[in-house]
Amino acid sequence: MSRSGSDPFNYQEYLDEEEELDALHQAKRRKEAIIYASAIATVAAASIPFGALASAHQGRVPGSVTVKRQRLAVDDYCQTLSDKHFRRRYRMGKESFWNLLHIVGDHLPSTGENRKHGCVPNGPISHAAHLSMALRIAAGADPLDVATNHGVNDNQPMVSFWQVIDAIHKSPQLDIHFPTSHEEQEKVAKEFQIKSSIDISCCVGAIDGILIWIHKPSDSDCDMVGFGQTKFFCGRKKKFGLNMQAVCDAKRRFLWVDIRYPGTTSDFFAFDQSSLKDKLEQPGFLHSGLCLFGDAAYANSPYMCSPFRSATGTQDDFNFFQSQLRITIECAFGMLVHRFGILRKAFPVNVTVSKTNTAVLALCKLHNFCIQSSNCGDDIVASDVRDTSNILMEGGLVLPRIDRDDGSENIWRYEAEDRLDTLLDGGQHMDDHSDDDRRRYRYRNELPRQSIHDYIASNEFRRPDRRATR
């Protein structure tokens, strides 16, 4: 590069020109390398006999060493476990395990037993083994321990986990549906009426939100979902997470699940933006007189019955009897987390937000399946000791009553004292909406809450003495 003596030397311009020349040289070298590689590949292919090409597509490099592993025969393994120990490891009974395999088996990938070329090193991995590994991961087990136990490579348990998750979502028998017919809605209300000590008959579901614990999402993940990293951090719970909204029936089965918003989102806003809220506002969708029961995070409306704030007298009595039914969703969340230990800790770092949503929704479907199974009911056994140790070593939640269970009890039932305070109530705030957003139905007297309150007051139903219930 030549310059006249009168022109000042521009060093930045010089660097830019040099960088441009260097980029041109690199592009030229890459083009030449591609041409040479293509020519070499053409010559090599021409020198290989046609018959040898077929043997070259068996999936393994000739001479590669196979790590000898003994595949776990799940059928035989199940026979060695008592019903109690099987339930501790797989979070469901043996009959439920095989019924679930029958449902999802058709949607799992091929085992490789009928491959036309080559063979599967160490033998194929059966569908039962895929389901076994997936349920062990869901229980909170260490993937490396699962791999060793099943005789597979270290990454296979997580691969099987996601394959089973996909199979669950492809199985219509496991789908979650909010009742759309008035007959179905009345049936749900009848079940809640049985739970109510004063025969409240208008509850079509209990609703609440829970924080799904995740690691700090990556920048690319945030760009994909459209929220910044700070939106995922719930300051009230000091965790990154997702706001999961859910409705359950009296048997604690989920009727609706929605996981669309990050952890800082209020329960009010998450529900207000949901498709279920849109349906409930459609005339005739909900049977006349029925409504959801939610906590104070939700606004009182024709389809939502929430408690009074700063209640005294008969309003306090109403809050007590309303909570008898509303608390069902908190119990459902508790059962979900106590059953599947993976929810007691943050989802792995390399799992995206969208995949986390997919996995949690599948676990909700399995939760319903377990309750509906004849030999499973709504009972939960304590976790396997090794699973609990792994969960706690990874900084997971401590659940005192179930963690101290030494397994001597055959059945462990979720009770109110097991409430997940570390994950619940994170959405009880008004940071993303104003009080005006909640005023829409404030001065209407014909709302379900007022009708139930009048029913309680006229019949002189009184909540138990707080001192007597402590």
Side-chain angles (χ1 to χ4, degrees):
M1 181 176 61
S2 62
R3 296 179 183 273
S4 63
S6 60
D7 292 337
F9 180 74
N10 190 321
Y11 186 69
Q12 184 60 46
E13 182 179 341
Y14 168 76
L15 291 179
D16 292 342
E17 290 180 2
E18 289 295 317
E19 183 177 355
E20 182 178 354
L21 290 174
D22 186 58
L24 291 174
H25 288 310
Q26 289 184 9
K28 182 178 179 181
R29 287 195 295 270
R30 284 196 297 269
K31 183 177 180 180
E32 292 174 349
I34 292 173
I35 295 174
Y36 294 151
S38 177
I40 293 173
T42 302
V43 173
S47 64
I48 300 176
F50 179 77
L53 289 175
S55 61
H57 291 282
Q58 294 181 3
R60 289 174 61 81
V61 178
S64 60
V65 179
T66 298
V67 177
K68 297 296 182 181
R69 298 186 177 95
Q70 182 64 44
R71 301 285 193 234
L72 176 69
V74 178
D75 295 28
D76 297 337
Y77 179 66
C78 290
Q79 298 302 320
T80 65
L81 296 176
S82 65
D83 291 339
K84 180 179 68 176
H85 287 93
F86 187 92
R87 290 162 67 90
R88 295 191 70 175
R89 285 171 172 79
Y90 292 99
R91 318 311 291 149
M92 63 179 63
K94 293 181 181 181
E95 183 179 348
S96 298
F97 178 91
W98 297 113
N99 288 341
L100 179 60
L101 179 61
H102 177 74
I103 293 173
V104 303
D106 292 339
H107 305 291
L108 290 173
S110 170
T111 61
E113 294 176 306
N114 300 318
R115 292 177 62 171
K116 294 181 179 180
H117 302 290
C119 61
V120 180
N122 295 314
I125 302 174
S126 66
H127 286 168
H130 284 298
L131 181 59
S132 173
M133 287 186 280
L135 292 179
R136 293 292 296 122
I137 294 297
D142 184 347
L144 296 180
D145 290 342
V146 176
T148 301
N149 187 39
H150 287 77
V152 297
N153 61 40
D154 293 345
N155 68 341
Q156 183 60 50
M158 290 306 300
V159 172
S160 295
F161 176 76
W162 292 112
Q163 289 174 341
V164 170
I165 293 298
D166 291 339
I168 290 172
H169 289 306
K170 293 177 182 177
S171 303
Q173 304 97 310
L174 302 176
D175 286 348
I176 296 174
H177 297 291
F178 188 86
T180 55
S181 71
H182 288 180
E183 292 77 12
E184 293 175 321
Q185 294 169 3
E186 285 185 308
K187 183 179 179 181
V188 173
K190 291 282 186 186
E191 294 174 345
F192 272 110
Q193 184 177 4
I194 296 173
K195 290 179 68 73
S196 173
S197 62
I198 60 171
D199 292 332
I200 295 177
S201 59
C202 61
C203 181
V204 74
I207 184 172
D208 203 354
I210 185 173
L211 185 73
I212 302 300
W213 192 2
I214 65 173
H215 283 283
K216 182 179 179 180
S218 65
D219 291 334
S220 59
D221 205 12
C222 290
D223 292 339
M224 183 173 296
V225 297
F227 295 103
Q229 290 179 338
T230 57
K231 290 294 184 181
F232 289 91
F233 185 75
C234 179
R236 290 164 178 78
K237 302 302 173 183
K238 302 295 186 291
K239 293 176 176 64
F240 286 94
L242 306 169
N243 183 320
M244 182 176 100
Q245 295 289 300
V247 175
C248 75
D249 63 12
K251 295 182 179 179
R252 304 169 183 173
R253 296 173 299 192
F254 293 114
L255 302 177
W256 171 78
V257 176
D258 186 72
I259 320 172
R260 290 195 299 156
Y261 289 96
T264 58
T265 310
S266 68
D267 289 344
F268 170 85
F269 185 87
F271 172 72
D272 189 65
Q273 300 297 312
S274 69
S275 59
L276 178 61
K277 185 250 188 180
D278 294 337
K279 291 179 180 179
L280 294 173
E281 289 191 333
Q282 295 175 6
F285 174 80
L286 201 58
H287 190 282
S288 177
L290 299 184
C291 63
L292 298 175
F293 277 36
D295 60 21
Y298 302 94
N300 193 43
S301 71
Y303 47 81
M304 180 71 70
C305 177
S306 58
F308 291 100
R309 294 179 181 270
S310 304
T312 59
T314 56
Q315 290 186 352
D316 186 45
D317 297 329
F318 164 86
N319 285 358
F320 172 79
F321 293 111
Q322 189 259 9
S323 69
Q324 279 188 333
L325 304 185
R326 175 188 57 79
I327 201 174
T328 307
I329 184 63
E330 294 183 3
C331 295
F333 286 148
M335 291 173 59
L336 176 70
V337 174
H338 281 70
R339 188 187 301 277
F340 300 115
I342 192 174
L343 297 176
R344 293 176 56 179
K345 55 186 179 179
F347 261 73
V349 178
N350 60 341
V351 178
T352 64
V353 170
S354 60
K355 291 189 72 174
T356 300
N357 294 353
T358 302
V360 174
L361 180 57
L363 295 178
C364 291
K365 293 181 178 182
L366 288 183
H367 166 90
N368 286 0
F369 170 80
C370 290
I371 293 178
Q372 293 166 186
S373 297
S374 59
N375 72 324
C376 205
D378 64 348
D379 298 318
I380 303 173
V381 297
S383 300
D384 184 86
V385 175
R386 287 166 294 184
D387 295 347
T388 301
S389 299
N390 180 61
I391 292 168
L392 297 181
M393 287 179 62
E394 294 187 21
L397 301 181
V398 177
L399 304 177
R401 225 166 56 81
I402 197 169
D403 287 342
R404 68 170 176 257
D405 189 338
D406 59 3
S408 58
E409 297 294 332
N410 289 330
I411 294 298
W412 177 92
R413 293 183 182 276
Y414 178 83
E415 298 179 1
E417 64 183 278
D418 301 304
R419 189 178 189 273
L420 302 172
D421 292 327
T422 52
L423 299 177
L424 295 174
D425 302 333
Q428 289 201 15
H429 62 83
M430 296 177 57
D431 296 345
D432 51 12
H433 64 281
S434 67
D435 194 47
D436 290 338
D437 296 326
R438 310 169 66 92
R439 293 176 181 268
R440 182 176 177 186
Y441 301 104
R442 176 165 293 187
Y443 301 109
R444 288 179 56 175
N445 293 325
E446 68 275 15
L447 298 180
R449 182 173 74 177
Q450 190 61 43
S451 300
I452 300 171
H453 171 265
D454 294 344
Y455 166 73
I456 292 173
S458 62
N459 287 277
E460 298 184 351
F461 294 124
R462 297 292 179 263
R463 66 171 296 154
D465 188 346
R466 285 186 173 87
R467 291 171 297 180
T469 57
R470 287 178 182 172

